[in-house]
Amino acid sequence: MHEVTLGMNGTTEDIIVLRDLSKVYKDGVEVLALDRINLDIAAGEFVAIVGPSGSGKSTLLNMVGLLDTPTSGQILLKGIDVSRASPNERARLRNKELGFVFQYHHLIPEFTALENVMMPMLIAGKKESEARVRARELLVSVGLGERMDNRPNQLSGGQSQRVAVARALVNGPSIVIGDELTGNLDTKSSQLIYDLLRDLNKRINQTFILVTHDMVLAEKTDRIIRIVDGRIVCEMRRQGDEFVASEKCDLGEDGGEIRRD
Amino acid sequence: MPSATKRIPAFELSVVSRHITYRKRGTALSLAAIALAVAVSLTFVALQDGLQEFLFNIIVDDLPHVTVTPKDGDDYIHLYKSLIEWAWSIPGVVAVSPGLGTTATFTHKDNVENVEMLGVDPVEMDKIYNIAKYVTDGDLNSIHGGKRVVICRKLAERLKINPGETVVASFPDARPAGLVVSGIFDAPTGWPEDIALVSLSTARDFLNEGDVVSSVDIKLKDVYLADAAARRLNDLGYKAESWQQLYPEILRTLAIEGFQNILIILLIMIIAAFGIGSVMYMLVNEKTSEIGMLMALGATGRMIRDIFLLESGILGLMGGVAGAVLGLIFCLYLKSQVINMSSAGGQQVTLPVIISPWNFAVIVLTAALLSVIAGAYPAWKASRLDPVEAING
Ligand SMILES: Nc1ncnc2c1ncn2[C@@H]1O[C@H](COP(=O)(O)OP(=O)(O)OP(=O)(O)O)[C@@H](O)[C@H]1O
Ligand SMILES: [Mg+2]
């Protein structure tokens, strides 16, 4: 078994490349969740994925996050095809290169906020003292310097989600994935977390891919990708304060959810 | 990835220790099941070992270690005096008891009983069988005087005879004799109830034989020298057998019981380990989404598996150690109990309990091992979870 070593990349290189990516679920009825998706995401991009319920947003994110395997097509991470990587190799890449935040925080209830944040570093086999220092820094930067020794049941939903964000960032992943990560939060907490991620994205050039239903939040990103029935139907990029639709955008298909100023 | 396999499982251990300390109900349940099973098993084994030693002591203390019998085809051992000399010349011999056995019919008034009449040297016989202490009325040494008999209590009851009264011994080809009952004894456990003890010369007169015996029993200082002693006498042309050859059924009983006990103990511990297995199973079910999240964070299936295997093993070991302490308390309590023996003169004895560190170690480690085995299925199940499905619960 060989280890995939990821090369150094310039900011302009595509960190994620999806080629004809399809996913078919086959329990009982066949569901074509993703239909030949082609997508390039550059390092440092801040991307929102939007679309109606059941359109395949989570499925797409799980593919990119190496949590699930495609039925056909390729996923290239930093130029390396990882679509057929072994389970152990995928686990290693998830640990090193990817950060996850889901709608629910999934913090481990028996561990404090600090220990939860340290977890990915301990999984990587890093020294506990090193992990503690790094986790502390991150908790301070998400504004939880005072709540480090609290356990999840002593934290609010928004605080827990910020701990989850810190945990996703602790190993310095090149890609951070958020699946409706503010779905359970009120507007104020959601704004806070988005601003935090946006700030990190600008400062250390991490790539963020976030699924959201909230167009106000989506418009805080640089690029909005709209998926319907497992296909990318529309792409918009920020230009200054505005979003400009790419040529393939077909807004006639379903409503005017995306405003074009 | 050799580096990954040698990694100290700090992450796995930290998760395990939190589960154990924070999930008190599951921990208490697992520990109680294993501790109880280990304590019961240990007590059982200690009693069993005690009983085995007790049985073994009967061989050592109350039975001959080597017995010489007539050669095949002969009725008697002739020239037994030189055999006795040879026997005494064996190092470690503490008693040599010649005997002359025969069947006889005892008649007292209207009562007739067939008996095993045994001519013995009362002093030497007592050294081997410790029989004198069972004689309640009269005295074993009284048979020295001749024309006297010491009989088993059951026999006396059947003949309706009392000490001092005379019984008539007869048998075809034998010379009938009147014998005065000079003692009555309670048959030790395992003895037949139709035994009558007379002197060697009385037995010879009855049989109308010369200077012969039908058996020579030998006792040694060290019971394990019996085989060597028997071999030596065999080399001299006698037919000698050691206790191992004489009482194979005792050895067999010990072996069979030992096997049965191992089965019973294994069963008890397997049931207790199932307790840990089901606690682990529930834990995996309850923690499914956390397991999925750990996988998303980069935990491999192997790490997840190790968490639950380690947890099972540690719970098993902790329960085992607690059970060892509990078992020790049980054993010490039983050891301190005095019980009255119903037979054999109502002696007071303590329960034979043997506390062996070896048994403790083996049983505790077995409990831990069985717990790991019981945790294997839930651990395997956890390691095979699909991360996406697990996270979504
Ligand atoms: N494990 C599965 N087995 C079968 N079908 C599935 C499975 N997971 C998802 N699907 C189907 O695939 C399609 C895409 O699902 P997905 O979860 O990606 O949608 P989504 O865009 O994330 O929706 P939502 O906004 O509601 O989260 C849906 O039709 C869904 O029913
Ligand atoms: Mg979804």
Side-chain angles (χ1 to χ4, degrees), chain A residues 3 62 91 94-95 100 106 108-111 115 119 123 151 167, chain B residues 1 11 14 18 22 287 290 293 295-298 300 303 388 391:
Chain A
E3 287 195 21
N62 292 337
R94 287 198 296 267
N95 182 246
F100 295 87
H106 296 299
I108 316 280
E110 292 90 1
F111 288 85
E115 290 163 338
M119 204 69 80
I123 289 172
R151 289 203 280 135
R167 178 178 63 182
Chain B
M1 283 185 287
F11 156 67
S14 70
R18 287 304 160 92
Y22 280 83
K287 295 253 174 219
E290 284 166 41
M293 189 66 218
M295 285 173 160
L297 296 177
T300 58
M303 290 179 187
V388 176
I391 289 167

PDB file of all heavy atoms in Angstrom, chain A residues 3 62 91 94-95 100 106 108-111 115 119 123 151 167, chain B residues 1 11 14 18 22 287 290 293 295-298 300 303 388 391:
ATOM      1  N   GLU A   3       1.413   5.396   0.143  1.00  0.00           N
ATOM      2  CA  GLU A   3       0.759   6.566   0.704  1.00  0.00           C
ATOM      3  C   GLU A   3       0.729   7.672  -0.330  1.00  0.00           C
ATOM      4  O   GLU A   3       1.710   7.953  -0.999  1.00  0.00           O
ATOM      5  CB  GLU A   3       1.510   7.063   1.945  1.00  0.00           C
ATOM      6  CG  GLU A   3       1.298   6.129   3.120  1.00  0.00           C
ATOM      7  CD  GLU A   3       1.707   6.786   4.412  1.00  0.00           C
ATOM      8  OE1 GLU A   3       1.768   8.032   4.457  1.00  0.00           O
ATOM      9  OE2 GLU A   3       1.981   6.055   5.363  1.00  0.00           O
ATOM     10  N   ASN A  62     -20.148  14.704   0.920  1.00  0.00           N
ATOM     11  CA  ASN A  62     -19.594  13.459   1.465  1.00  0.00           C
ATOM     12  C   ASN A  62     -18.573  12.841   0.523  1.00  0.00           C
ATOM     13  O   ASN A  62     -17.616  12.194   0.973  1.00  0.00           O
ATOM     14  CB  ASN A  62     -20.708  12.458   1.756  1.00  0.00           C
ATOM     15  CG  ASN A  62     -21.584  12.922   2.913  1.00  0.00           C
ATOM     16  OD1 ASN A  62     -21.148  13.728   3.746  1.00  0.00           O
ATOM     17  ND2 ASN A  62     -22.811  12.443   2.964  1.00  0.00           N
ATOM     18  N   ALA A  91      -9.084   7.575   5.650  1.00  0.00           N
ATOM     19  CA  ALA A  91      -9.125   8.042   7.041  1.00  0.00           C
ATOM     20  C   ALA A  91      -7.969   8.996   7.306  1.00  0.00           C
ATOM     21  O   ALA A  91      -8.126  10.037   7.954  1.00  0.00           O
ATOM     22  CB  ALA A  91      -9.064   6.848   7.999  1.00  0.00           C
ATOM     23  N   ARG A  94      -8.720  12.324   5.629  1.00  0.00           N
ATOM     24  CA  ARG A  94      -9.761  13.054   6.374  1.00  0.00           C
ATOM     25  C   ARG A  94      -9.143  13.725   7.595  1.00  0.00           C
ATOM     26  O   ARG A  94      -9.471  14.845   7.955  1.00  0.00           O
ATOM     27  CB  ARG A  94     -10.873  12.099   6.843  1.00  0.00           C
ATOM     28  CG  ARG A  94     -11.791  11.611   5.738  1.00  0.00           C
ATOM     29  CD  ARG A  94     -13.083  11.057   6.320  1.00  0.00           C
ATOM     30  NE  ARG A  94     -12.901   9.872   7.151  1.00  0.00           N
ATOM     31  CZ  ARG A  94     -12.987   8.624   6.710  1.00  0.00           C
ATOM     32  NH1 ARG A  94     -13.257   8.386   5.446  1.00  0.00           N
ATOM     33  NH2 ARG A  94     -12.815   7.605   7.546  1.00  0.00           N
ATOM     34  N   ASN A  95      -8.221  13.007   8.217  1.00  0.00           N
ATOM     35  CA  ASN A  95      -7.581  13.528   9.413  1.00  0.00           C
ATOM     36  C   ASN A  95      -6.655  14.702   9.118  1.00  0.00           C
ATOM     37  O   ASN A  95      -6.648  15.702   9.831  1.00  0.00           O
ATOM     38  CB  ASN A  95      -6.799  12.398  10.101  1.00  0.00           C
ATOM     39  CG  ASN A  95      -6.138  12.844  11.388  1.00  0.00           C
ATOM     40  OD1 ASN A  95      -4.922  12.887  11.483  1.00  0.00           O
ATOM     41  ND2 ASN A  95      -6.955  13.184  12.375  1.00  0.00           N
ATOM     42  N   PHE A 100     -14.367  18.765   9.112  1.00  0.00           N
ATOM     43  CA  PHE A 100     -15.809  18.601   8.941  1.00  0.00           C
ATOM     44  C   PHE A 100     -16.592  19.328  10.022  1.00  0.00           C
ATOM     45  O   PHE A 100     -16.241  19.244  11.198  1.00  0.00           O
ATOM     46  CB  PHE A 100     -16.202  17.126   9.045  1.00  0.00           C
ATOM     47  CG  PHE A 100     -15.646  16.282   7.947  1.00  0.00           C
ATOM     48  CD1 PHE A 100     -14.380  15.719   8.063  1.00  0.00           C
ATOM     49  CD2 PHE A 100     -16.379  16.045   6.803  1.00  0.00           C
ATOM     50  CE1 PHE A 100     -13.863  14.927   7.060  1.00  0.00           C
ATOM     51  CE2 PHE A 100     -15.868  15.252   5.787  1.00  0.00           C
ATOM     52  CZ  PHE A 100     -14.604  14.696   5.906  1.00  0.00           C
ATOM     53  N   HIS A 106     -22.025  16.925  17.131  1.00  0.00           N
ATOM     54  CA  HIS A 106     -21.431  15.606  17.376  1.00  0.00           C
ATOM     55  C   HIS A 106     -20.189  15.676  18.251  1.00  0.00           C
ATOM     56  O   HIS A 106     -19.207  14.954  18.015  1.00  0.00           O
ATOM     57  CB  HIS A 106     -21.076  14.892  16.068  1.00  0.00           C
ATOM     58  CG  HIS A 106     -22.263  14.578  15.224  1.00  0.00           C
ATOM     59  ND1 HIS A 106     -23.288  13.759  15.636  1.00  0.00           N
ATOM     60  CD2 HIS A 106     -22.620  14.997  13.989  1.00  0.00           C
ATOM     61  CE1 HIS A 106     -24.199  13.676  14.693  1.00  0.00           C
ATOM     62  NE2 HIS A 106     -23.829  14.431  13.683  1.00  0.00           N
ATOM     63  N   ILE A 108     -18.122  14.827  21.620  1.00  0.00           N
ATOM     64  CA  ILE A 108     -18.187  13.647  22.484  1.00  0.00           C
ATOM     65  C   ILE A 108     -18.535  14.133  23.894  1.00  0.00           C
ATOM     66  O   ILE A 108     -17.783  14.930  24.483  1.00  0.00           O
ATOM     67  CB  ILE A 108     -16.833  12.899  22.512  1.00  0.00           C
ATOM     68  CG1 ILE A 108     -16.244  12.780  21.104  1.00  0.00           C
ATOM     69  CG2 ILE A 108     -16.972  11.552  23.195  1.00  0.00           C
ATOM     70  CD1 ILE A 108     -16.803  11.709  20.238  1.00  0.00           C
ATOM     71  N   PRO A 109     -19.659  13.677  24.435  1.00  0.00           N
ATOM     72  CA  PRO A 109     -20.160  14.257  25.679  1.00  0.00           C
ATOM     73  C   PRO A 109     -19.249  14.047  26.883  1.00  0.00           C
ATOM     74  O   PRO A 109     -19.304  14.823  27.839  1.00  0.00           O
ATOM     75  CB  PRO A 109     -21.513  13.559  25.891  1.00  0.00           C
ATOM     76  CG  PRO A 109     -21.478  12.344  25.041  1.00  0.00           C
ATOM     77  CD  PRO A 109     -20.584  12.657  23.893  1.00  0.00           C
ATOM     78  N   GLU A 110     -18.394  12.992  26.846  1.00  0.00           N
ATOM     79  CA  GLU A 110     -17.556  12.713  28.017  1.00  0.00           C
ATOM     80  C   GLU A 110     -16.292  13.572  28.050  1.00  0.00           C
ATOM     81  O   GLU A 110     -15.527  13.510  29.009  1.00  0.00           O
ATOM     82  CB  GLU A 110     -17.143  11.239  28.046  1.00  0.00           C
ATOM     83  CG  GLU A 110     -18.276  10.262  28.306  1.00  0.00           C
ATOM     84  CD  GLU A 110     -18.938   9.798  27.019  1.00  0.00           C
ATOM     85  OE1 GLU A 110     -18.488  10.228  25.930  1.00  0.00           O
ATOM     86  OE2 GLU A 110     -19.922   9.035  27.109  1.00  0.00           O
ATOM     87  N   PHE A 111     -16.087  14.360  26.993  1.00  0.00           N
ATOM     88  CA  PHE A 111     -14.869  15.172  26.923  1.00  0.00           C
ATOM     89  C   PHE A 111     -15.214  16.656  27.014  1.00  0.00           C
ATOM     90  O   PHE A 111     -16.281  17.082  26.585  1.00  0.00           O
ATOM     91  CB  PHE A 111     -14.132  14.891  25.611  1.00  0.00           C
ATOM     92  CG  PHE A 111     -13.476  13.544  25.561  1.00  0.00           C
ATOM     93  CD1 PHE A 111     -14.186  12.426  25.169  1.00  0.00           C
ATOM     94  CD2 PHE A 111     -12.149  13.386  25.932  1.00  0.00           C
ATOM     95  CE1 PHE A 111     -13.586  11.175  25.133  1.00  0.00           C
ATOM     96  CE2 PHE A 111     -11.535  12.140  25.896  1.00  0.00           C
ATOM     97  CZ  PHE A 111     -12.264  11.039  25.494  1.00  0.00           C
ATOM     98  N   GLU A 115     -10.794  19.161  25.117  1.00  0.00           N
ATOM     99  CA  GLU A 115     -10.431  17.790  24.732  1.00  0.00           C
ATOM    100  C   GLU A 115     -11.071  17.397  23.407  1.00  0.00           C
ATOM    101  O   GLU A 115     -10.469  16.675  22.602  1.00  0.00           O
ATOM    102  CB  GLU A 115     -10.848  16.814  25.835  1.00  0.00           C
ATOM    103  CG  GLU A 115     -10.004  16.964  27.091  1.00  0.00           C
ATOM    104  CD  GLU A 115     -10.641  16.333  28.305  1.00  0.00           C
ATOM    105  OE1 GLU A 115     -11.873  16.150  28.311  1.00  0.00           O
ATOM    106  OE2 GLU A 115      -9.912  16.037  29.263  1.00  0.00           O
ATOM    107  N   MET A 119      -9.057  16.220  19.833  1.00  0.00           N
ATOM    108  CA  MET A 119      -9.281  14.858  19.329  1.00  0.00           C
ATOM    109  C   MET A 119      -8.613  14.531  17.984  1.00  0.00           C
ATOM    110  O   MET A 119      -7.897  13.525  17.892  1.00  0.00           O
ATOM    111  CB  MET A 119     -10.792  14.608  19.258  1.00  0.00           C
ATOM    112  CG  MET A 119     -11.200  13.164  19.311  1.00  0.00           C
ATOM    113  SD  MET A 119     -10.899  12.422  20.908  1.00  0.00           S
ATOM    114  CE  MET A 119     -12.275  12.996  21.859  1.00  0.00           C
ATOM    115  N   ILE A 123      -5.869  11.591  17.358  1.00  0.00           N
ATOM    116  CA  ILE A 123      -6.058  10.532  16.352  1.00  0.00           C
ATOM    117  C   ILE A 123      -4.833  10.471  15.440  1.00  0.00           C
ATOM    118  O   ILE A 123      -4.379   9.400  15.056  1.00  0.00           O
ATOM    119  CB  ILE A 123      -7.347  10.786  15.534  1.00  0.00           C
ATOM    120  CG1 ILE A 123      -8.571  10.541  16.412  1.00  0.00           C
ATOM    121  CG2 ILE A 123      -7.393   9.902  14.286  1.00  0.00           C
ATOM    122  CD1 ILE A 123      -9.889  10.927  15.793  1.00  0.00           C
ATOM    123  N   ARG A 151     -18.084  20.809  29.533  1.00  0.00           N
ATOM    124  CA  ARG A 151     -18.451  19.696  28.671  1.00  0.00           C
ATOM    125  C   ARG A 151     -19.604  20.141  27.769  1.00  0.00           C
ATOM    126  O   ARG A 151     -20.286  21.111  28.073  1.00  0.00           O
ATOM    127  CB  ARG A 151     -18.810  18.482  29.516  1.00  0.00           C
ATOM    128  CG  ARG A 151     -17.554  17.901  30.166  1.00  0.00           C
ATOM    129  CD  ARG A 151     -17.704  16.456  30.530  1.00  0.00           C
ATOM    130  NE  ARG A 151     -18.438  16.280  31.771  1.00  0.00           N
ATOM    131  CZ  ARG A 151     -19.405  15.380  31.941  1.00  0.00           C
ATOM    132  NH1 ARG A 151     -19.779  14.618  30.925  1.00  0.00           N
ATOM    133  NH2 ARG A 151     -20.003  15.258  33.089  1.00  0.00           N
ATOM    134  N   ARG A 167     -12.567  22.237  16.281  1.00  0.00           N
ATOM    135  CA  ARG A 167     -12.123  20.854  16.103  1.00  0.00           C
ATOM    136  C   ARG A 167     -11.821  20.566  14.628  1.00  0.00           C
ATOM    137  O   ARG A 167     -10.836  19.901  14.309  1.00  0.00           O
ATOM    138  CB  ARG A 167     -13.197  19.900  16.617  1.00  0.00           C
ATOM    139  CG  ARG A 167     -12.847  18.435  16.443  1.00  0.00           C
ATOM    140  CD  ARG A 167     -13.904  17.524  17.016  1.00  0.00           C
ATOM    141  NE  ARG A 167     -15.177  17.682  16.316  1.00  0.00           N
ATOM    142  CZ  ARG A 167     -16.292  17.021  16.641  1.00  0.00           C
ATOM    143  NH1 ARG A 167     -16.290  16.199  17.679  1.00  0.00           N
ATOM    144  NH2 ARG A 167     -17.395  17.220  15.963  1.00  0.00           N
TER     145      ARG A 167
ATOM    146  N   MET B   1       1.887   0.262   6.936  1.00  0.00           N
ATOM    147  CA  MET B   1       2.170   1.423   7.786  1.00  0.00           C
ATOM    148  C   MET B   1       2.656   0.984   9.158  1.00  0.00           C
ATOM    149  O   MET B   1       1.884   0.948  10.112  1.00  0.00           O
ATOM    150  CB  MET B   1       0.921   2.280   7.925  1.00  0.00           C
ATOM    151  CG  MET B   1       0.645   3.118   6.701  1.00  0.00           C
ATOM    152  SD  MET B   1      -0.740   4.208   6.960  1.00  0.00           S
ATOM    153  CE  MET B   1      -2.104   3.072   6.908  1.00  0.00           C
ATOM    154  N   PHE B  11      -5.125   7.857  22.055  1.00  0.00           N
ATOM    155  CA  PHE B  11      -6.465   8.312  21.706  1.00  0.00           C
ATOM    156  C   PHE B  11      -7.513   7.287  22.143  1.00  0.00           C
ATOM    157  O   PHE B  11      -8.480   7.615  22.834  1.00  0.00           O
ATOM    158  CB  PHE B  11      -6.527   8.565  20.197  1.00  0.00           C
ATOM    159  CG  PHE B  11      -7.894   8.478  19.615  1.00  0.00           C
ATOM    160  CD1 PHE B  11      -8.855   9.423  19.951  1.00  0.00           C
ATOM    161  CD2 PHE B  11      -8.237   7.447  18.743  1.00  0.00           C
ATOM    162  CE1 PHE B  11     -10.137   9.336  19.409  1.00  0.00           C
ATOM    163  CE2 PHE B  11      -9.503   7.365  18.207  1.00  0.00           C
ATOM    164  CZ  PHE B  11     -10.456   8.305  18.546  1.00  0.00           C
ATOM    165  N   SER B  14      -7.849   7.163  25.888  1.00  0.00           N
ATOM    166  CA  SER B  14      -8.533   8.306  26.492  1.00  0.00           C
ATOM    167  C   SER B  14     -10.048   8.156  26.332  1.00  0.00           C
ATOM    168  O   SER B  14     -10.806   8.447  27.254  1.00  0.00           O
ATOM    169  CB  SER B  14      -8.036   9.620  25.887  1.00  0.00           C
ATOM    170  OG  SER B  14      -8.485   9.749  24.555  1.00  0.00           O
ATOM    171  N   ARG B  18     -12.720   7.550  29.551  1.00  0.00           N
ATOM    172  CA  ARG B  18     -13.892   8.415  29.753  1.00  0.00           C
ATOM    173  C   ARG B  18     -15.174   7.599  29.796  1.00  0.00           C
ATOM    174  O   ARG B  18     -16.062   7.851  30.604  1.00  0.00           O
ATOM    175  CB  ARG B  18     -13.989   9.464  28.654  1.00  0.00           C
ATOM    176  CG  ARG B  18     -12.958  10.544  28.763  1.00  0.00           C
ATOM    177  CD  ARG B  18     -13.003  11.238  30.112  1.00  0.00           C
ATOM    178  NE  ARG B  18     -11.755  11.904  30.361  1.00  0.00           N
ATOM    179  CZ  ARG B  18     -11.521  13.175  30.042  1.00  0.00           C
ATOM    180  NH1 ARG B  18     -12.456  13.905  29.506  1.00  0.00           N
ATOM    181  NH2 ARG B  18     -10.344  13.706  30.293  1.00  0.00           N
ATOM    182  N   TYR B  22     -17.358   7.900  33.064  1.00  0.00           N
ATOM    183  CA  TYR B  22     -18.571   8.714  32.960  1.00  0.00           C
ATOM    184  C   TYR B  22     -19.838   7.886  32.813  1.00  0.00           C
ATOM    185  O   TYR B  22     -20.918   8.360  33.112  1.00  0.00           O
ATOM    186  CB  TYR B  22     -18.457   9.699  31.788  1.00  0.00           C
ATOM    187  CG  TYR B  22     -17.634  10.907  32.132  1.00  0.00           C
ATOM    188  CD1 TYR B  22     -16.253  10.863  32.051  1.00  0.00           C
ATOM    189  CD2 TYR B  22     -18.242  12.082  32.563  1.00  0.00           C
ATOM    190  CE1 TYR B  22     -15.477  11.957  32.382  1.00  0.00           C
ATOM    191  CE2 TYR B  22     -17.477  13.187  32.892  1.00  0.00           C
ATOM    192  CZ  TYR B  22     -16.099  13.120  32.792  1.00  0.00           C
ATOM    193  OH  TYR B  22     -15.350  14.207  33.119  1.00  0.00           O
ATOM    194  N   LYS B 287     -23.670   5.191  20.707  1.00  0.00           N
ATOM    195  CA  LYS B 287     -22.597   6.111  20.304  1.00  0.00           C
ATOM    196  C   LYS B 287     -22.413   6.128  18.795  1.00  0.00           C
ATOM    197  O   LYS B 287     -21.391   6.632  18.312  1.00  0.00           O
ATOM    198  CB  LYS B 287     -21.292   5.676  20.971  1.00  0.00           C
ATOM    199  CG  LYS B 287     -21.328   5.786  22.488  1.00  0.00           C
ATOM    200  CD  LYS B 287     -20.499   6.948  22.928  1.00  0.00           C
ATOM    201  CE  LYS B 287     -20.585   7.232  24.395  1.00  0.00           C
ATOM    202  NZ  LYS B 287     -20.620   8.648  24.677  1.00  0.00           N
ATOM    203  N   GLU B 290     -21.465   9.420  17.250  1.00  0.00           N
ATOM    204  CA  GLU B 290     -20.126   9.861  17.677  1.00  0.00           C
ATOM    205  C   GLU B 290     -19.042   9.048  16.977  1.00  0.00           C
ATOM    206  O   GLU B 290     -17.988   9.578  16.620  1.00  0.00           O
ATOM    207  CB  GLU B 290     -19.962   9.683  19.185  1.00  0.00           C
ATOM    208  CG  GLU B 290     -20.682  10.739  19.991  1.00  0.00           C
ATOM    209  CD  GLU B 290     -20.778  10.342  21.441  1.00  0.00           C
ATOM    210  OE1 GLU B 290     -19.787   9.804  21.967  1.00  0.00           O
ATOM    211  OE2 GLU B 290     -21.839  10.542  22.039  1.00  0.00           O
ATOM    212  N   MET B 293     -18.630  10.406  13.639  1.00  0.00           N
ATOM    213  CA  MET B 293     -17.893  11.668  13.694  1.00  0.00           C
ATOM    214  C   MET B 293     -16.400  11.406  13.885  1.00  0.00           C
ATOM    215  O   MET B 293     -15.567  12.049  13.237  1.00  0.00           O
ATOM    216  CB  MET B 293     -18.432  12.538  14.839  1.00  0.00           C
ATOM    217  CG  MET B 293     -17.883  13.950  14.833  1.00  0.00           C
ATOM    218  SD  MET B 293     -18.429  14.907  13.390  1.00  0.00           S
ATOM    219  CE  MET B 293     -16.956  15.845  13.028  1.00  0.00           C
ATOM    220  N   MET B 295     -14.818   8.873  12.892  1.00  0.00           N
ATOM    221  CA  MET B 295     -14.316   8.408  11.596  1.00  0.00           C
ATOM    222  C   MET B 295     -14.101   9.595  10.658  1.00  0.00           C
ATOM    223  O   MET B 295     -13.106   9.652   9.935  1.00  0.00           O
ATOM    224  CB  MET B 295     -15.300   7.421  10.976  1.00  0.00           C
ATOM    225  CG  MET B 295     -15.258   6.060  11.654  1.00  0.00           C
ATOM    226  SD  MET B 295     -16.565   4.981  11.038  1.00  0.00           S
ATOM    227  CE  MET B 295     -15.913   3.372  11.511  1.00  0.00           C
ATOM    228  N   ALA B 296     -15.034  10.553  10.680  1.00  0.00           N
ATOM    229  CA  ALA B 296     -14.864  11.747   9.852  1.00  0.00           C
ATOM    230  C   ALA B 296     -13.602  12.498  10.270  1.00  0.00           C
ATOM    231  O   ALA B 296     -12.909  13.082   9.450  1.00  0.00           O
ATOM    232  CB  ALA B 296     -16.081  12.651   9.973  1.00  0.00           C
ATOM    233  N   LEU B 297     -13.294  12.453  11.560  1.00  0.00           N
ATOM    234  CA  LEU B 297     -12.105  13.145  12.054  1.00  0.00           C
ATOM    235  C   LEU B 297     -10.831  12.360  11.752  1.00  0.00           C
ATOM    236  O   LEU B 297      -9.742  12.810  12.084  1.00  0.00           O
ATOM    237  CB  LEU B 297     -12.205  13.377  13.563  1.00  0.00           C
ATOM    238  CG  LEU B 297     -13.342  14.294  14.024  1.00  0.00           C
ATOM    239  CD1 LEU B 297     -13.372  14.377  15.541  1.00  0.00           C
ATOM    240  CD2 LEU B 297     -13.210  15.679  13.418  1.00  0.00           C
ATOM    241  N   GLY B 298     -10.975  11.178  11.166  1.00  0.00           N
ATOM    242  CA  GLY B 298      -9.795  10.440  10.733  1.00  0.00           C
ATOM    243  C   GLY B 298      -9.521   9.160  11.495  1.00  0.00           C
ATOM    244  O   GLY B 298      -8.519   8.498  11.232  1.00  0.00           O
ATOM    245  N   THR B 300      -9.496   5.411  12.155  1.00  0.00           N
ATOM    246  CA  THR B 300      -9.648   4.260  11.266  1.00  0.00           C
ATOM    247  C   THR B 300     -10.571   3.239  11.925  1.00  0.00           C
ATOM    248  O   THR B 300     -10.802   3.285  13.135  1.00  0.00           O
ATOM    249  CB  THR B 300      -8.286   3.594  11.017  1.00  0.00           C
ATOM    250  OG1 THR B 300      -7.746   3.203  12.275  1.00  0.00           O
ATOM    251  CG2 THR B 300      -7.319   4.546  10.334  1.00  0.00           C
ATOM    252  N   MET B 303      -8.928   1.684  14.850  1.00  0.00           N
ATOM    253  CA  MET B 303      -8.941   2.450  16.112  1.00  0.00           C
ATOM    254  C   MET B 303     -10.284   2.275  16.812  1.00  0.00           C
ATOM    255  O   MET B 303     -10.342   2.080  18.033  1.00  0.00           O
ATOM    256  CB  MET B 303      -8.731   3.936  15.841  1.00  0.00           C
ATOM    257  CG  MET B 303      -7.339   4.305  15.371  1.00  0.00           C
ATOM    258  SD  MET B 303      -7.260   6.092  15.051  1.00  0.00           S
ATOM    259  CE  MET B 303      -5.630   6.203  14.328  1.00  0.00           C
ATOM    260  N   VAL B 388     -21.032   7.947   6.955  1.00  0.00           N
ATOM    261  CA  VAL B 388     -22.160   8.830   6.625  1.00  0.00           C
ATOM    262  C   VAL B 388     -23.423   8.377   7.347  1.00  0.00           C
ATOM    263  O   VAL B 388     -24.102   9.168   8.010  1.00  0.00           O
ATOM    264  CB  VAL B 388     -22.402   8.866   5.101  1.00  0.00           C
ATOM    265  CG1 VAL B 388     -23.626   9.710   4.792  1.00  0.00           C
ATOM    266  CG2 VAL B 388     -21.181   9.416   4.388  1.00  0.00           C
ATOM    267  N   ILE B 391     -23.099   9.001  11.157  1.00  0.00           N
ATOM    268  CA  ILE B 391     -23.240  10.399  11.564  1.00  0.00           C
ATOM    269  C   ILE B 391     -24.702  10.820  11.536  1.00  0.00           C
ATOM    270  O   ILE B 391     -25.193  11.490  12.446  1.00  0.00           O
ATOM    271  CB  ILE B 391     -22.401  11.316  10.646  1.00  0.00           C
ATOM    272  CG1 ILE B 391     -20.926  11.120  10.935  1.00  0.00           C
ATOM    273  CG2 ILE B 391     -22.785  12.789  10.851  1.00  0.00           C
ATOM    274  CD1 ILE B 391     -20.003  11.725   9.918  1.00  0.00           C
TER     275      ILE B 391
END
